[in-house]
Amino acid sequence: MKTTVKIALIVILALAGISLATFMLLKSLTPNQEERIAYDKDKQVALIDSQLAGMDLEKIRAKKDLIMEKSIEDLHAAISKGELTYEELTAFYLDRIKTYDAGKKGLNAVAAINPKAIEEARALDASPATPTGMRGIPVLLKDNINTNTMPTSGGTYALKDFTPSDNAEMVTALINSGAIILGKSNLSELANFMDTRMPSGYSSKAGQTHNPFNPLELSPEGSSSGSGAAVAANLSAVAIGTETTGSIIAPSAIHSIVGFKPTKDAISAAGVIPLSSTMDTVGPMTKNVKDAAALYNASISDTSKAVNENLDADFLKGKRIGIVGKDPDQALANKIKACGAEAVAVELPEEGIDNEHIINQDFKNDLNRYLQTYNAPVKSLAELIAFNKEDASRRAKYGQDLLEEANEVNEFDKAKVEAMVKKAQSRIDDLLRDNKLDALVFYDNEGVLLPATAGCPELTVPAGVSDEGAPKGATFIARQNEDEKLLNIAYSFEQKTAGRAIPQNYLK
């Protein structure tokens, strides 16, 4: 064989090897295709059936026009008029969960049912009071938020039956406001920090959540995926999610609902299974901005952080909004202008901000502290990893590489993390000040890294659908503690653009 031919063959084989290696690497970093996987639905159905026993379900289903797609204000109006009771409202959602979530080819957005939901609704009906705030409104909580009536698992198999002795601080606030905790929503296991191959919306406890707009094909995204799917499909009036980097914003945008990640610690994260104490934030996921404001106010413990719920539909007039990232055909800029605001194209540089580093610095110590504080059945990340290995096909179906990598971290540099947070805050503050901007906006979760690191409030509002039919969101951010201003900006945009899409197959 001639030397040149040999060289050519060697080059071809080398390139083939590189291509194969690249393919395998990309495959290892790409989430697997969703499957129809739902665990323990029989238990949920039994809890629903026991609470609905003896009730006239046809009569309750006939209340559909009073409940479906209605705001909290609408629901309270129907109750005030005597057209609807809290018991009927709660039963309506439980019945829908049984049919559309736990039924054949269900969405699997719900991980647990409150066994006392109907009992709590009846108690409210028996003690009449003017319907205000969140009184009598059913809420789903992401299954990483402590509840003393249901397990709190974080999506793990190890904690699937773990019921903490105390509610999370924000759950206590909700209950004190009169809200009805309907159940727990599924999540991407451990806030989407198991393995890069795990699809969004999968947990070892509950299985795979599906997006009601296109189940199996359109990802439910983020880690608050169950909350997003449930609100979009009218399985609950509202829901609570948590965010580290995009886990409220992404699932809200892709489900065409409102997602509000308030200023960090505005809503207490005490009693929430952590991913990163530097960034973790609890927030509302609702069908409209006013509901987000009401749910936010009902979730806070510090009333000095309350917002005025009388939002201004003309608030955007005369404001300057910075457009971050891609904006094909200036569609987003034109919507901002149509609201009476000025749109200014800006850049939000992300260099030197590494959320993966922050998470790896926080996760092991934060999780160990939680497991020990609340006396969970496993007491450390190392124990959880070992437990999962005993039955990896169920407990770590897609692997647990992220857990194992985090467990190997033994050098902690708090100063470096704090420097990143300050850098992110300064970049946002400087950009807003130097350009005389009232807020920034981008599509979906495209620019969440800096505000997530900085602890700034973010709020995504439905902004129509893509050419392929996937929902899109316009995500606004403002300075820390400008939550009320952000709510007004988002409300003004929502009222002028009316961009919410509805999954038609779930309107029955």
Side-chain angles (χ1 to χ4, degrees):
M1 186 179 291
K2 291 183 179 180
T3 302
T4 53
V5 175
K6 287 182 179 178
I7 293 172
L9 284 172
I10 290 170
V11 170
I12 291 169
L13 289 171
L15 289 174
I18 292 170
S19 298
L20 178 60
T22 302
F23 171 77
M24 294 305 293
L25 174 62
L26 290 173
K27 185 177 180 182
S28 72
L29 297 175
T30 303
N32 286 28
Q33 176 64 34
E34 288 179 26
E35 301 176 60
R36 292 276 186 195
I37 303 172
Y39 303 122
D40 298 329
K41 282 299 180 185
D42 289 346
K43 292 181 181 179
Q44 291 182 33
V45 171
L47 277 174
I48 292 172
D49 286 343
S50 65
Q51 295 188 74
L52 299 183
M55 298 178 69
D56 186 344
L57 292 181
E58 291 305 317
K59 179 184 175 184
I60 289 166
R61 291 165 187 157
K63 304 275 185 175
K64 180 181 77 168
D65 291 343
L66 296 173
I67 300 172
M68 292 283 288
E69 285 298 305
K70 299 301 182 183
S71 66
I72 292 171
E73 189 176 339
D74 293 333
L75 296 173
H76 278 159
I79 289 165
S80 293
K81 294 174 185 176
E83 299 171 337
L84 186 66
T85 66
Y86 295 120
E87 179 184 4
E88 290 170 336
L89 177 61
T90 305
F92 180 85
Y93 287 126
L94 289 175
D95 184 49
R96 280 186 64 80
I97 290 170
K98 178 181 176 180
T99 302
Y100 293 104
D101 195 70
K104 186 178 180 181
K105 294 186 177 181
L107 294 175
N108 200 34
V110 179
I113 297 295
N114 180 4
K116 298 182 178 180
I118 291 293
E119 177 185 326
E120 293 167 9
R122 286 172 177 159
L124 288 173
D125 283 326
S127 55
T130 303
T132 58
M134 283 297 295
R135 178 180 170 83
I137 301 300
V139 183
L140 280 172
L141 304 173
K142 186 175 178 179
D143 190 24
N144 60 348
I145 301 173
N146 283 3
T147 49
N148 62 14
T149 56
M150 293 170 283
T152 298
S153 73
T156 66
Y157 189 89
L159 304 184
K160 73 182 184 70
D161 299 315
F162 166 59
T163 301
S165 57
D166 298 309
N167 287 322
E169 188 175 323
M170 66 83 52
V171 176
T172 299
L174 273 177
I175 291 171
N176 289 342
S177 77
I180 295 171
I181 308 303
L182 188 64
K184 308 293 277 289
S185 55
N186 194 22
L187 71 158
S188 305
E189 189 165 345
L190 289 173
N192 221 353
F193 199 69
M194 273 290 285
D195 197 289
T196 54
R197 292 164 293 187
M198 185 182 78
S200 289
Y202 178 83
S203 76
S204 299
K205 174 184 175 173
Q208 179 68 53
T209 293
H210 304 292
N211 189 318
F213 283 92
N214 192 358
L216 292 175
E217 299 301 324
L218 186 63
S219 170
E221 293 197 6
S223 71
S224 303
S225 39
S227 293
V231 172
N234 285 269
L235 304 180
S236 179
V238 295
I240 292 287
T242 66
E243 171 153 331
T244 306
T245 316
S247 285
I248 288 174
I249 298 302
S252 295
I254 201 64
H255 286 101
S256 199
I257 63 172
V258 169
F260 177 31
K261 192 219 82 165
T263 296
K264 187 181 183 316
D265 295 328
I267 298 175
S268 172
V272 177
I273 297 176
L275 177 56
S276 166
S277 54
T278 301
M279 298 185 289
D280 290 346
T281 307
V282 182
M285 298 173 70
T286 63
K287 289 187 280 291
N288 60 75
V289 176
K290 274 198 168 185
D291 283 3
L295 183 53
Y296 166 82
N297 277 343
S299 302
I300 58 175
S301 304
D302 181 355
T303 55
S304 69
K305 296 177 180 178
V307 297
N308 187 336
E309 295 175 32
N310 294 315
L311 304 177
D312 182 1
D314 294 319
F315 191 83
L316 268 172
K317 283 185 179 178
K319 301 293 188 295
R320 280 172 58 88
I321 306 297
I323 311 292
V324 177
K326 297 175 182 178
D327 184 18
D329 300 322
Q330 292 195 312
L332 187 53
N334 289 335
K335 288 179 179 179
I336 294 295
K337 292 174 184 176
C339 295
E342 185 179 353
V344 182
V346 296
E347 293 183 0
L348 189 59
E350 297 179 344
E351 293 83 5
I353 308 298
D354 186 350
N355 68 317
E356 290 183 12
H357 174 79
I358 294 172
I359 291 169
N360 276 313
Q361 286 284 295
D362 287 347
F363 180 60
K364 179 167 70 171
N365 291 334
D366 288 348
L367 183 65
N368 290 353
R369 189 178 303 112
Y370 171 90
L371 295 171
Q372 293 160 22
T373 299
Y374 296 100
N375 196 27
V378 292
K379 299 296 190 291
S380 69
L381 176 57
E383 283 188 30
L384 175 61
I385 291 168
F387 177 84
N388 288 344
K389 286 180 178 178
E390 292 173 7
D391 182 9
S393 63
R394 170 66 193 270
R395 301 174 188 178
K397 176 178 171 61
Y398 298 100
Q400 54 179 349
D401 284 358
L402 295 176
L403 300 189
E404 292 170 346
E405 289 169 13
N407 196 48
E408 294 300 315
V409 176
N410 292 307
E411 294 182 7
F412 302 96
D413 189 346
K414 187 176 180 181
K416 182 177 179 180
V417 170
E418 290 176 347
M420 282 189 194
V421 172
K422 289 179 181 177
K423 185 182 291 186
Q425 290 170 345
S426 295
R427 279 192 192 158
I428 292 172
D429 289 345
D430 292 349
L431 182 61
L432 291 169
R433 183 191 64 246
D434 294 347
N435 292 276
K436 296 182 174 59
L437 300 173
D438 292 281
L440 304 173
V441 68
F442 45 80
Y443 276 121
D444 305 330
N445 61 329
E446 185 173 335
V448 298
L449 177 59
L450 258 70
T453 306
C456 293
E458 310 165 49
L459 202 160
T460 194
V461 183
V465 298
S466 69
D467 292 340
E468 294 76 30
K472 301 191 320 188
T475 303
F476 295 88
I477 66 172
R479 296 177 180 88
Q480 283 183 304
N481 302 311
E482 289 189 336
D483 300 80
E484 186 174 305
K485 178 181 181 180
L486 190 63
L487 283 159
N488 273 288
I489 287 171
Y491 178 70
S492 181
F493 180 86
E494 173 192 62
Q495 295 302 299
K496 302 297 184 184
T497 59
R500 175 159 154 72
I502 301 169
Q504 296 298 317
N505 289 339
Y506 297 88
L507 278 181
K508 300 172 185 176

